Amino acid sequence: MKEHQSEVQICDDGICTLARNAADAVESKMDGNYHSFGVIADRGGTHQEIEARAKKTSKSEGRRNKNEKESSTDSSSIVTTLHSEQDVNAFLSANDAVIIEFMTTWCGACKSIEEYYIELSKSNEVNDIKSAKVNCDKNKQTKKLAASYNVKSYPVFVAFKSGTISHRFDGADKGKLESTFERLGGGGGKNKKRGGRSKKKG
């Protein structure tokens, strides 16, 4: 019997990775569970059942992505898409403070933080912090680019100051993303910019 060779997407705690097949995914040590396109599959499921659920949910994701396109059309002018090492080098040369997100189209965690990344990018334009992203599964160049930055899960945010990496973090963590902008001299979300409701005195 031939072994299944399809790749399975695993998302856990805001970080997404790839398994070579359903068997590898089931054997992964993520509290006994994993999310494949947002669907939880446990160790009791067969390879066929797991892949069938993934395919079914993949179609739903495709329809949802189509509906979400309109809401994210303005992101292209705020978050620059980079396609190669040359693009990255040019972007870093042109800007002093930069944040680059390494993401993929299938990554649920990437989708969950996309709007907030755009929001922070917009609010920090005045602070001259420029945002970009690399779609790591687009082609060979972007895959090579991800490998050169040792990206093995998604999303990964890398901050640069004067062309040099200042820090990075893995996962769709809004708090860490805010902190990344702040370290580069920017601010947090809308609430923080307005003074921070949580600091309101009674």
Side-chain angles (χ1 to χ4, degrees), residues 27-159:
E27 290 302 320
S28 67
K29 296 179 180 178
M30 287 189 175
D31 299 324
N33 299 312
Y34 69 86
H35 287 73
S36 178
F37 288 110
V39 177
I40 296 176
D42 57 37
R43 292 180 184 271
T46 65
H47 301 175
Q48 291 84 357
E49 289 170 342
I50 292 170
E51 291 182 350
R53 286 196 291 270
K55 287 178 182 178
K56 183 178 179 181
T57 312
S58 176
K59 290 180 181 178
S60 298
E61 286 285 336
R63 288 193 294 270
R64 190 174 71 179
N65 291 343
K66 186 177 180 180
N67 294 333
E68 288 176 347
K69 278 185 178 179
E70 291 183 6
S71 63
S72 61
T73 50
D74 62 334
S75 65
S76 58
S77 60
I78 303 298
V79 179
T80 304
T81 301
L82 307 175
H83 303 283
S84 65
E85 186 177 356
Q86 289 75 16
D87 286 351
V88 171
N89 291 338
F91 195 72
L92 293 176
S93 297
N95 303 288
D96 183 58
V98 169
I99 297 174
I100 299 178
E101 176 195 15
F102 290 85
M103 46 74 70
T104 68
T105 53
W106 54 260
C107 169
C110 302
K111 292 186 179 78
S112 72
I113 202 169
E114 179 181 10
E115 287 187 15
Y116 197 57
Y117 185 39
I118 294 170
E119 178 187 317
L120 289 175
S121 300
K122 283 181 179 178
S123 64
N124 280 284
E125 278 191 307
V126 67
N127 298 316
D128 288 329
I129 299 174
K130 302 301 180 183
S131 301
K133 66 180 179 180
V134 175
N135 181 358
C136 300
D137 61 355
K138 186 175 179 64
N139 53 45
K140 288 182 179 180
Q141 281 189 311
T142 56
K143 287 180 179 179
K144 183 179 179 181
L145 187 56
S148 69
Y149 282 92
N150 198 32
V151 174
K152 297 179 180 178
S153 60
Y154 309 97
V156 172
F157 289 90
V158 184

Side-chain angles (χ1 to χ4, degrees), residues 189-201:
K190 291 179 180 177
N191 291 344
K192 280 193 173 185
K193 199 174 180 181
R194 292 171 183 166
R197 294 177 188 174
S198 60
K199 296 182 180 179
K200 204 174 184 180
K201 292 183 180 180

Side-chain angles (χ1 to χ4, degrees), residues 113 155-158 167-174 176-177 180:
I113 202 169
V156 172
F157 289 90
V158 184
H167 60 281
R168 61 184 283 168
F169 73 91
D170 298 5
D173 189 314
K174 290 184 177 180
K176 289 181 179 179
L177 186 56
T180 298

